[in-house]
Amino acid sequence: MSDMDEYLEMFFVECDELLEAVATGLRQMDEGTYEMETVHAVFRAVHSIKGGAAAFGLTDLVSFAHKFETALDLLRSSALDLSPQAMAVFHRSSDCLADLVAAARISDTRENALREELLIELEALIGEEDETEADVDFVPLSLDLGDFGGSPVGDRYVISLMAEADLYRSGNDPAALIRALEKLGEVRVTLDAGNVPVLSEWSADTPTLRWQIELETEALLSEVEAVFEFVEDRCRLSIATIDQTTEDPDPDLRDSQDPEPQDSDMAEPAITEGTPPAQTSPAPSAAAPRPEGRAEAPGAKAAEATTTATIRVNLDRVDKLMNMIGELVIKEAMLTQVIQTAGLSEEPEVVGALEGLRQLAGDIQESVMAIRAQPLKQVFQRMHRIVREAADATGKQVRLVTVGEQTEVDKTMIERLIDPLTHMIRNSVDHGLEDSVRRHRSGKPQEGAITLSAAHKSGRVQIEVSDDGGGIDRARVRSIAEDKGLVVPGASLTPGEIDSLLFLPGFSSKDEVSALSGRGVGLDVVRREITALGGRVTIASTEGKGTTFTISLPLTLAVLEGMLIQLDDQTLVLPITAVQETLRPDHATLHHIGATGRALLNRGELIPIIDLGCTFGLRPAPGDAHNGVLIVVETDNHKRAAFQVDAIHDQRQVVIKSLEENYGRVSGVSAATILGDGKIALIIDPEEIITSSTSDHGRDRMAIAANG
Amino acid sequence: MLQTISHNAQGKHDVIAFKLTDQDFCIDIGLVREIRGWSPTTVLPHAPHYVRGVINLRGSVVTVVDLSARLGFGASEPTHRHVVIIAMHEGRIVGLLADLVSDIVTISDDSIQAVPDIASDPAHEFITGMITFDDGRILRKIDLMQLLPDAPQYGG
Amino acid sequence: MPTRILAIDDSPTIRGLVSRALKAAGFEVYTASDGVEGLGVLADADPDLIITDVNMPRMDGFGLIEGVRGSLEYATVPILVLTTESGSDLKARARRAGATGWIVKPFEDAQLVAIIDKVLGR
């Protein structure tokens, strides 16, 4: 069944939400001031995971969720005290549940050691009393729940049924029961209405109608009994097997052959021998007092009665829409160009229509981006677990504070942020925070704090990971970098530059690779991953106070606001976010330093001039700065440079096209775009150009690191 | 995908034949997505000499490799007679700049001969087989895999 | 006129699986995600039978059964409880609340339909 896969995928999506609910609920419980509803909610979420998992035969998940749920249930009924130990087990169980879901998602059936361990710990919480393995029955059950053993086949049964009021009240119907029996074999039904009192004495609570049913079937007794599964304590029922070999279907023998009725405390209903039974075989439905009072709903039947306000959409469809909007933006740019060529760009009507079109395209683009936008919450929530694990591994006490979880970024970015953030958090616990002895000595609380925050900042998303640790030991970082040959000994480095050494490949500030952070991943990988998202990572550190890593990300991976510049016959795009100002140099501001070095004196600061034509290998030597335009740009590390270009054309939104997909990375270039004339223009990566253009050897190494 | 239909009969398949200077080359038609006329490319900084630049193929950025430069004949001077053969290679799309597409030829697998051992010629490593015809014509079969090194080797 | 079934479960997956199985068997299916919503759509769905989960936010399955049984029009509509427990505790509770019967998760489509058929006498 192929559509089962679809439901399975749906289940996993649901699991993500449920797991989040579990984690959030447990954290609220951590804080002590929780309400019972929180426990209920956690219980329900675990229970739902179990239910869904059972439907797909995910047995490891089911049995674990069951044990977890049982412990939570005890908590619900106050049979279990919420000790810190219990809380820790719950947290770890929540993590384990997430692992098991993840494993099931990729059909990983390997043994999970954590699961085995936690099953034992949960068991200990639950105690021995009420846990029987029979409850964990996730093998699809067949209908015959009662195990009465097999009786010989090819039998005749005589069934006596006297419905109590509760049978009707519970929505059961003797007629339905008889029809179910008909499916098993040949049925002869006799209605005994002899007990029906006169109306004045009639009470709904006293059963009066009695059915005698003869059933000839090959079904087992257990199958016959299964028909009455739902009503066995809502009627007086007796089922007798008449051995075919006895060949004695004499009705007179019926009563004597009836076994004790199940409700033995009730007096055997008196059956008047002489009453001629009313033959109503085989349809006693007329006698069934099931009220037919409810009217057919008049007229309009509501369609699917769900009232959900959200829909799930395959991401591919949104991506496709996004691509089409990208094409629309390009087409609009093309149209603008055509109109310009045709000399119509001054026509007020054309200008107005074009402006309207541009506005509309922008609005659509924004709307689609909003569809793709997701709160960072789901990433941030995961980090609680990372902190817990890191704290366990290092023996440090750590508290994670999250701020701005609701900040939204592009869905693709959410997924790709998990790895780098995980590593940064681990790094902060491992390297950022001091051990408890040193914290105590410096008068800090035992428990270290890591703050993970997010906010929108001037058209970008800024995520910060900060710790209240000892700050970067710059002397140590420097000596390690020198030892490893990453910088020339004695090179003049600003504090910020020393901090940036941490991003160099192969740099590890701990003498030995620690079990936690040293998983073959360094901060260089973090930087590369963030750069691949069009983002930047910077460090700020204050001795004794702590360290803050700042990630700055574009809102979307799809478009950026760029400045179109000219270099020889090539048009390129410079992201507007980096641009501080543009100016034409004159003799007063332009200064030569040595044979080739040139700098711009701008507001008292000497800014190095970089000829982009040389950078991109379009000309062998820098052109005359007087003939070009200078664009002052600043990096996230507050390094400034002036880019020399031949001309500036225009400022516009461009659609980002991957260059790596069909080619590879080009240094100094972050991506490509398509211009109005259909030609491709490269998007400049100013950060990389500035970082790599400085001459110091150590800085060159840094440039290599930045280039990945 | 076109790859799947490249074998039109047992032991036979189609190739696209094209000229570079005065030699005939071919590549498996299954790899070819389309053939376009030459249009100016956007230059890629720090690219290998045989990478002509990139073009826009219906919204995708496609690298154009100058086959002539790649095979050691020297850089092409593209004219309107030049074509760009758009080929798919391991999920990546690439354009091959060639002089002129001459034909689609059906060749039988057993007509492919090994390349004679002419060491040191740069073209040697890109040619996987030679197909000889009765009229004396020879097709040199190009291996895209060899022609296009992995992405990391391209970049600056 | 096809038999109308109202399926109530807070899990979209289970709702989906139940709907799919029932629609395949020719039932007309309405869904709700908890007891409150279930009671809310009762008149619209006008069900011949209700299938409900037990553990749900806002109003659980027992609350729903109570509500349905307390109504005038739907007092005797068969209600099947979906439960992961095959234990007797829950069955007893469901029975006390006035459930017609129960279905143990996980179920096979055929089982689900067989139980419904049995209860409806189809």
Side-chain angles (χ1 to χ4, degrees), chain B residues 56-101:
Chain B
N56 165 21
L57 180 73
R58 286 182 298 278
S60 284
V61 180
V62 173
T63 314
V64 177
V65 168
D66 182 346
L67 277 180
S68 169
R70 185 60 169 143
L71 296 173
F73 295 123
S76 302
E77 291 293 336
T79 63
H80 68 278
R81 281 171 61 88
H82 279 77
V83 292
V84 176
I85 302 168
I86 305 292
M88 183 88 167
H89 170 253
E90 296 197 332
R92 290 196 295 161
I93 303 169
V94 65
L96 307 170
L97 175 62
D99 283 9
L100 164 82
V101 170

Side-chain angles (χ1 to χ4, degrees), chain A residues 487-564:
Chain A
V487 285
V488 174
S492 108
L493 296 172
T494 65
E497 283 169 339
I498 294 174
D499 295 348
S500 297
L501 291 173
L502 292 174
F503 288 117
L504 291 184
F507 188 95
S508 172
S509 85
K510 283 232 164 166
D511 291 338
E512 74 271 28
V513 175
S514 85
L516 187 61
S517 303
R519 296 186 182 175
V521 199
L523 286 172
D524 58 317
V525 175
V526 170
R527 170 168 271 185
R528 200 159 63 219
E529 283 167 346
I530 297 297
T531 308
L533 289 174
R536 305 281 169 219
V537 199
T538 52
I539 314 182
S541 181
T542 313
E543 208 182 324
K545 290 274 172 59
T547 307
T548 299
F549 286 86
T550 305
I551 299 172
S552 160
L553 291 167
L555 280 179
T556 168
L557 300 173
V559 287
L560 64 78
E561 190 73 25
M563 187 181 269
L564 265 54

Side-chain angles (χ1 to χ4, degrees), chain A residues 430-457:
Chain A
D430 201 10
H431 305 299
L433 296 175
E434 319 91 322
D435 55 40
S436 57
V437 178
R438 281 177 55 198
R439 285 187 72 86
H440 184 73
R441 222 182 282 149
S442 41
K444 290 182 183 176
Q446 282 262 318
E447 192 180 54
I450 291 177
T451 308
L452 181 58
S453 69
H456 282 290
K457 219 169 180 180

